[in-house]
Amino acid sequence: MVRAVVFDVGETLIDETRIFSRWADRLGVTRGTFLGLVGACAATDRPLVDAFRLARPGIDLDAEIARWAADDPTGLRENFDADDLYPDVRPALAALRDAGLAVVVAGNQPPQARAALEAMDLPVDSIRTSDEWGIEKPAPEFFARVADLAGLPATDIAYVGDRLDNDVLPAAAAGMRPVLVRRGPWGHLHAARPDAARVEVVDSLTELPALLAP
């Protein structure tokens, strides 16, 4: 029986369209071009950083982020805020808690992401990032930390994400119940792959209470 639901962040809770659009402007390519490169990386299983390297060959991404922060210290830049939440997030999380389930957010994110999520006052019990733990998905150790954070055995936890490779299949290997949300470039592509038959697929987070609640 599921007693806790743990969520990935990017393209699970957060719509990254505005982030990628600002990156396109920063890199000097059209927004359609950069969004297309992101989709191409998703379709060909290339790391997301390749989209930046294709848009600007030779880019030092960390150095560019630092320059951007110096140029626009008060802007969102590569970050997100409450305006980037998918509209089903708050009602779905609240419904899960009302059903008696613990709700946790844990994903591959930089250090500032936790503060951004906490500022949204989401109905969740805990928020953690890979940067805090020093370990990233899909490493088994990440999912061990998720179970420790939830204070439950892996078999009592559902992990919800938008990727088979990085999120739900490694979660399943750790003993968790895997749920793929079909949105964002990875979510739509991965939901069409044969391995999606091994997990549960939803089109909205509002489907989760009926799917997971005891």
Side-chain angles (χ1 to χ4, degrees), residues 19-20 22-24 26-28 34 38 41 47-71 77-79 110 112 136:
I19 300 172
F20 292 142
R22 288 194 299 273
W23 263 118
R26 178 73 186 180
L27 296 172
F34 191 66
V38 170
C41 288
L48 178 58
V49 69
D50 282 3
F52 296 85
R53 293 168 178 159
L54 290 165
R56 185 186 289 178
I59 188 173
D60 181 333
L61 193 54
D62 290 337
E64 186 60 35
I65 289 172
R67 281 192 294 270
W68 198 1
D71 293 342
R77 305 183 309 277
E78 81 280 18
N79 302 308
Q112 65 270 27
E136 294 187 346

Side-chain angles (χ1 to χ4, degrees), residues 18-40:
R18 291 202 308 161
I19 300 172
F20 292 142
S21 296
R22 288 194 299 273
W23 263 118
D25 297 344
R26 178 73 186 180
L27 296 172
V29 298
T30 67
R31 295 181 175 191
T33 295
F34 191 66
L35 290 169
L37 291 173
V38 170

Side-chain angles (χ1 to χ4, degrees), residues 110-120 127 129:
Q112 65 270 27
R114 179 176 175 181
L117 290 163
E118 288 176 341
M120 298 176 196
I127 299 171
T129 67

